[in-house]
Amino acid sequence: KLLSALAHWIDPRTNIWGTAGIAVEDILKGASQSNLAIVLGHAQKDEGRAGRARLRLWGGGRLLADDIHRVGEGYENTNWIIVACDAAFSRVRMQTGPGIALSLVTLGAPSVTACIYRVTSVTAQQFVDSLFRAPGNGDSRQFTDACREIMKSRSPFVQRWAAAASFVSYGLAVRPP
């Protein structure tokens, strides 16, 4: 449902849904060639590796923060939106690494907007629609304006709060010259 609801925002030429034989490296390198990468999926806390999350990919496979660091290049020009539960989850302490979202930022991505908690497809759709309607180019103001728009909507307060509070945006507030 979420993919079809967001289809009007996605350029069909960049959709890799259902592509046979695609590897994690192909996903990361392909996304890095765009100024905006939208990743829809299911992320979950990785119980075997404390403080980390993994993104479960359709058709099998998974994306870990380690994969992002292994590919490790080309993220400087891409703003990321990751619509997947817990994709922004990260516990940064001694002997733990950053999660998926912070890994992209530490390797140069200007901004990564992702879910910090579990979200429903309705909540995710509401947030992403607001994000795309907000002015900006993936910067912190666009994220803030999207949260404000959600809070002004006519939805019940709990639903508005859940949509705005479930997402975070990591990255540079202003891009350096």
Side-chain angles (χ1 to χ4, degrees):
K1 271 194 329 192
L2 179 60
L3 182 61
S4 61
L6 297 177
H8 60 281
W9 297 114
I10 300 171
D11 180 349
R13 295 171 296 173
T14 63
N15 187 358
I16 57 172
W17 177 274
T19 304
I22 195 160
V24 168
E25 293 82 3
D26 298 327
I27 294 170
L28 293 171
K29 287 179 181 177
S32 296
Q33 295 173 6
S34 172
N35 64 350
L36 177 65
I38 303 170
V39 179
L40 306 174
H42 175 69
Q44 59 197 91
K45 293 177 184 165
D46 192 340
E47 301 300 330
R49 298 157 41 106
R52 298 205 183 179
R54 63 179 171 206
L55 182 63
R56 193 169 68 195
L57 304 174
W58 279 281
R62 84 300 182 250
L63 173 66
L64 300 171
D66 294 344
D67 297 324
I68 295 166
H69 286 278
R70 185 169 35 83
V71 173
E73 60 184 36
Y75 303 118
E76 304 82 26
N77 298 315
T78 306
N79 294 304
W80 294 75
I81 299 173
I82 305 174
V83 184
C85 299
D86 299 322
F89 176 77
S90 183
R91 184 176 71 194
V92 181
R93 292 186 179 174
M94 294 291 274
Q95 301 174 345
T96 62
I100 294 168
L102 284 178
S103 290
L104 290 164
V105 171
T106 59
L107 289 171
S111 73
V112 179
T113 300
C115 307
I116 197 161
Y117 303 115
R118 291 186 163 272
V119 292
T120 65
S121 59
V122 172
T123 301
Q125 178 186 346
Q126 183 181 12
F127 181 81
V128 174
D129 278 342
S130 295
L131 188 65
F132 282 129
R133 281 194 301 271
N137 190 21
D139 57 12
S140 60
R141 183 176 183 164
Q142 183 177 11
F143 176 80
T144 303
D145 288 347
C147 290
R148 286 182 179 146
E149 180 186 320
I150 288 170
M151 293 309 292
K152 291 178 183 175
S153 75
R154 296 179 187 259
S155 303
F157 177 76
V158 171
Q159 184 179 348
R160 287 181 283 158
W161 180 86
S166 297
F167 286 81
V168 295
S169 187
Y170 299 122
L172 301 173
V174 178
R175 275 192 116 164

